[in-house]
């Protein structure tokens, strides 16, 4: 089961925790009874694999000598880096933040994804040969042209952090924040960092606009911070 799972999914421990699982509603078994709990099965298989020590580094058989730069260390950047490294290429991942993981690290709350789950996968990838460079903002700290000149290929795997704003009366008032201003700060606090002037819901009545995954992340975080309502 683990071999089958890893043949198409680099990080089932991420998707098994975070995916909204549209596959379950599409399961044909659901026509006449409960559909297969695919997400739960996926998570159980990979967690058992880690627990038993079956998830091991996969070293490349032949090195190509080609160098690849991956910009961004979110799930797509990490998957690309792992696949390319296992194919025998020399891979360097550039991340602007102080830790690897992109929105997995700074965006997804710890109650949905504990960060040690990311860390153990990063350790495996380092053994496989992937080099990680944090605190490097491509286009600011290093010119994009430098990557083009020094690497055989460049992958742009930066996530979208630009929020959709709403132009309505009162938008300029205090106490209105984007989710991606609010959520990463709590990730930093949970990691032991000190956050100056942290946005907190403690003791406050909170309104969340948007009812998707990000909205639920803000809800769970607000409750844990001690929101009044």
């Amino acid at each position: 089961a683990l071999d089958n799972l890893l043949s198409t999914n680099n990080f089932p421990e991420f998707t098994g925790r975070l995916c909204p699982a549209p596959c379950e509603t599409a399961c044909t078994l659901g026509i006449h009874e409960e559909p297969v709990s695919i997400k739960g099965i996926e998570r159980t298989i990979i967690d058992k694999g880690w627990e038993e020590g079956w998830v091991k580094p996969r070293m490349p058989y032949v090195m190509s000598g080609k160098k690849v730069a991956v910009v961004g260390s979110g799930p797509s950047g990490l998957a690309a880096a792992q696949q390319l490294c296992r194919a025998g290429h020399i891979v360097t991942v550039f991340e602007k933040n102080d830790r690897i993981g992109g929105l997995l690290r700074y965006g997804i709350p710890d109650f949905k994804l504990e960060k040690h789950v990311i860390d153990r996968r990063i350790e495996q990838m380092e053994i496989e040969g992937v080099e990680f460079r944090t605190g490097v903002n491509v286009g600011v700290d290093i010119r994009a042209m430098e990557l083009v000149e020094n690497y055989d290929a460049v992958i742009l795997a930066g996530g979208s952090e630009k929020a959709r704003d709403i132009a309505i009366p009162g938008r300029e008032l205090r106490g209105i924040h984007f989710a991606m201003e609010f959520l990463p700060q709590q990730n930093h606090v949970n990691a032991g960092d000190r956050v100056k002037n942290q946005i907190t819901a403690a003791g406050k009545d909170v309104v969340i606009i948007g009812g998707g995954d990000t909205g639920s992340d803000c809800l769970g975080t607000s409750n844990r911070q001690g929101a009044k309502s």
Side-chain angles (χ1 to χ4, degrees):
L2 182 65
D3 288 343
N4 281 339
L5 186 56
L6 293 176
S7 69
T8 58
N9 188 337
N10 287 75
F11 312 123
E13 65 269 35
F14 302 159
T15 55
R17 286 167 168 80
L18 303 175
C19 177
C23 57
E24 293 184 15
T25 56
C27 175
T28 53
L29 187 64
I31 294 171
H32 56 84
E33 56 182 285
E34 288 295 309
V36 175
S37 55
I38 302 168
K39 179 179 175 180
I41 293 170
E42 185 177 294
R43 176 175 172 173
T44 301
I45 292 169
I46 187 63
D47 284 354
K48 181 70 171 176
W50 282 107
E51 183 185 316
E52 296 291 341
W54 298 333
V55 184
K56 298 184 182 298
R58 297 184 186 178
M59 313 307 291
Y61 291 109
V62 179
M63 298 301 295
S64 70
K66 300 285 187 180
K67 293 166 57 181
V68 182
V70 177
V71 181
S73 71
S76 58
L78 292 178
Q82 188 172 64
Q83 289 295 106
L84 288 163
C85 185
R86 289 176 174 179
H89 307 305
I90 301 166
V91 181
T92 304
V93 177
F94 294 87
E95 169 57 51
K96 67 180 180 182
N97 288 315
D98 60 340
R99 297 180 179 93
I100 294 295
L103 288 178
L104 294 171
R105 177 78 62 180
Y106 296 128
I108 303 292
D110 289 37
F111 60 81
K112 274 191 176 177
L113 180 68
E114 293 175 297
K115 303 317 175 207
H116 69 81
V117 175
I118 305 172
D119 294 336
R120 69 182 177 190
R121 186 61 84 165
I122 298 304
E123 290 174 12
Q124 181 204 42
M125 292 176 63
E126 287 178 328
I127 294 171
E128 291 176 345
V130 177
E131 179 189 359
F132 293 101
R133 294 183 58 184
T134 56
V136 180
N137 192 349
V138 174
V140 178
D141 301 315
I142 181 173
R143 293 185 305 114
M145 189 54 66
E146 288 183 50
L147 299 184
V148 174
E149 291 169 350
N150 295 320
Y151 292 85
D152 296 290
V154 178
I155 290 182
L156 301 179
S160 175
E161 296 179 6
K162 184 175 182 179
R164 190 175 73 182
D165 209 343
I166 303 175
I168 56 175
R171 173 64 184 89
E172 74 286 352
L173 296 174
R174 286 181 301 164
I176 300 173
H177 307 282
F178 289 125
M180 281 305 295
E181 295 172 338
F182 173 57
L183 294 172
Q185 290 188 351
Q186 189 60 46
N187 291 136
H188 278 285
V189 169
N190 291 346
D193 300 338
R194 297 189 66 175
V195 176
K196 192 175 181 181
N197 301 321
Q198 182 188 0
I199 302 167
T200 177
K204 297 175 183 175
D205 295 305
V206 179
V207 174
I208 298 169
I209 300 177
D213 283 349
T214 306
S216 74
D217 292 346
C218 292
L219 173 62
T221 301
S222 297
N223 280 333
R224 284 163 174 78
Q225 288 181 348
K228 183 179 175 184
S229 73

